[in-house]
Amino acid sequence: MDIMHLEEFVALSDTLNFGAVARQRYITTATLSKHISALETELGCNLFVRDTHHVRLTRAGRLFVDDAKIIVNGYRKAKTRLESCDESYDAVCRLGYLKAASANLLARFVESFERANPRICLIPQRMGYLEVITALQLGQIDVALLLDAYPELHETCDFLKLDSCRWEVVSSSSHPFASREYVTLDEVRAEPKLFVPDPYRYPGLHQRQVSLIGEMAEGSRVEPYRDLDTLMLCMQMGKGVALSAGVNRPFYPQVSFVPLHDADLVIDVSLAWQKKTPLEEVALYRDAAADMAG
């Protein structure tokens, strides 16, 4: 049984969207469909009901998904242990983190954790927005340092807020906004083009921005972006404006970040772990966070 096919099945069981999972895995939809069909053939049953408009789990698929998650999680943990095999450690902890969200927190958390737990090997890994969410859901990491912008993740994970950041308006350095002390939402809505996060690559974050912005002015249009680097390139070239978390500011000095004046909304930067994580492990994360605050 191919572990990659199992991972794809687990991801698909959550989203029920072949296109979204294919983009997430950087494969074509046709390739993903072949992988799922191969898994179904090996298991001797259909896992999904597929037609031109809907995808849903079969009864067999619903029965298999929990076991598949256990297998995938166990494989990832075993692989990590082997990669980090060292007799000086008793255990391994895998930490997934967002670059921007963890800029002022990662080193402090790692230092606090390692000081308190010298016999645990903490392995940090930088990930993208959707990647860290998926890895946490699949058990590929034990704890995540991320933006708390995806409400559905609260159904399976617990969160501990470490910090927060505000929305800011991003534009080219030659845009009139760049010389302003702040920008209002009405001014953003009146822009000819506003870039927003792609709903499949940025679940939760897309909905937050669309809800915040509301209805655009007549003649204005919204365009999704698929990654931050490409967004910032578009901003630098003067192709439009966008909203972005203020934590991204230090990483993109070539564009302008201006505070959003009339939106009293912040995004929490948090630690997150699965609800089923043993209490003794949760205590390690909470203690390290408390040590940071102290």
Side-chain angles (χ1 to χ4, degrees):
M1 185 173 291
D2 193 317
I3 194 69
M4 290 180 60
H5 295 178
L6 275 181
E7 290 176 340
E8 291 163 0
F9 164 69
V10 170
L12 189 56
S13 71
D14 287 333
T15 65
L16 299 178
N17 187 312
F18 274 81
V21 173
R23 287 190 292 270
Q24 173 193 326
R25 307 285 297 187
Y26 299 102
I27 59 176
T28 65
T29 303
T31 298
L32 175 60
S33 183
K34 288 180 181 178
H35 291 175
I36 296 299
S37 294
L39 182 61
E40 291 175 326
T41 298
E42 185 172 359
L43 293 171
C45 61
N46 291 328
L47 300 172
F48 295 96
V49 176
R50 288 164 272 187
D51 57 38
T52 55
H53 301 291
H54 300 94
V55 176
R56 67 179 187 275
L57 285 165
T58 62
R59 182 175 181 274
R62 292 194 299 272
L63 289 172
F64 182 59
V65 68
D66 287 339
D67 291 327
K69 288 180 179 179
I70 292 171
I71 294 169
V72 168
N73 188 28
Y75 171 81
R76 290 299 179 183
K77 283 190 174 181
K79 187 170 183 290
T80 300
R81 290 192 186 99
L82 289 175
E83 291 172 346
S84 310
C85 186
D86 189 326
E87 292 183 358
S88 62
Y89 295 112
D90 296 329
V92 171
C93 179
R94 303 159 300 169
L95 167 66
Y97 68 92
L98 287 177
K99 179 177 74 171
S102 59
N104 298 319
L105 299 169
L106 180 63
R108 290 161 52 202
F109 178 77
V110 171
E111 182 181 28
S112 297
F113 187 95
E114 291 182 341
R115 183 169 55 246
N117 307 284
R119 299 286 299 176
I120 298 178
C121 178
L122 182 65
I123 305 175
Q125 181 181 352
R126 194 181 88 179
M127 297 179 166
Y129 177 88
L130 180 58
E131 185 183 9
V132 73
I133 290 175
T134 303
L136 188 59
Q137 290 175 320
L138 293 178
Q140 295 171 359
I141 55 176
D142 301 299
V143 61
L145 182 52
L146 43 59
L147 294 176
D148 183 5
Y150 186 38
E152 285 83 352
L153 197 58
H154 284 257
E155 297 175 5
T156 57
C157 297
D158 289 325
F159 286 71
L160 177 63
K161 177 183 174 181
L162 300 180
D163 201 356
S164 61
C165 61
R166 297 181 62 85
W167 291 112
E168 298 194 16
V169 181
V170 189
S171 66
S172 72
S173 56
S174 61
H175 192 283
F177 286 170
S179 60
R180 300 277 296 278
E181 184 178 348
Y182 59 81
V183 178
T184 68
L185 268 176
D186 283 340
E187 290 173 314
V188 171
R189 296 184 185 110
E191 283 295 299
K193 184 188 290 186
L194 175 68
F195 287 82
V196 298
D198 180 272
Y200 298 112
R201 289 182 178 268
Y202 295 90
L205 204 60
H206 169 85
Q207 289 87 338
R208 272 207 183 190
Q209 284 202 14
V210 169
S211 175
L212 175 63
I213 293 161
E215 188 174 347
M216 294 288 288
E218 185 177 353
S220 300
R221 68 187 181 96
V222 172
E223 183 170 319
Y225 65 82
R226 301 184 66 181
D227 65 88
L228 271 178
D229 288 345
T230 303
L231 169 68
M232 296 307 171
L233 176 62
C234 291
M235 297 299 97
Q236 190 175 8
M237 296 171 66
K239 292 188 174 183
V241 301
L243 299 184
S244 180
V247 291
N248 290 316
R249 179 195 287 256
F251 299 99
Y252 299 99
Q254 71 273 26
V255 298
S256 168
F257 281 76
V258 179
L260 190 59
H261 177 65
D262 50 357
D264 188 24
L265 292 176
V266 297
I267 308 174
D268 290 340
V269 181
S270 302
L271 286 174
W273 54 85
Q274 289 191 357
K275 290 181 181 292
K276 62 183 179 183
T277 301
L279 293 178
E280 57 269 23
E281 290 184 26
V282 173
L284 301 181
Y285 311 146
R286 290 188 177 277
D287 290 346
D291 184 58
M292 289 168 57

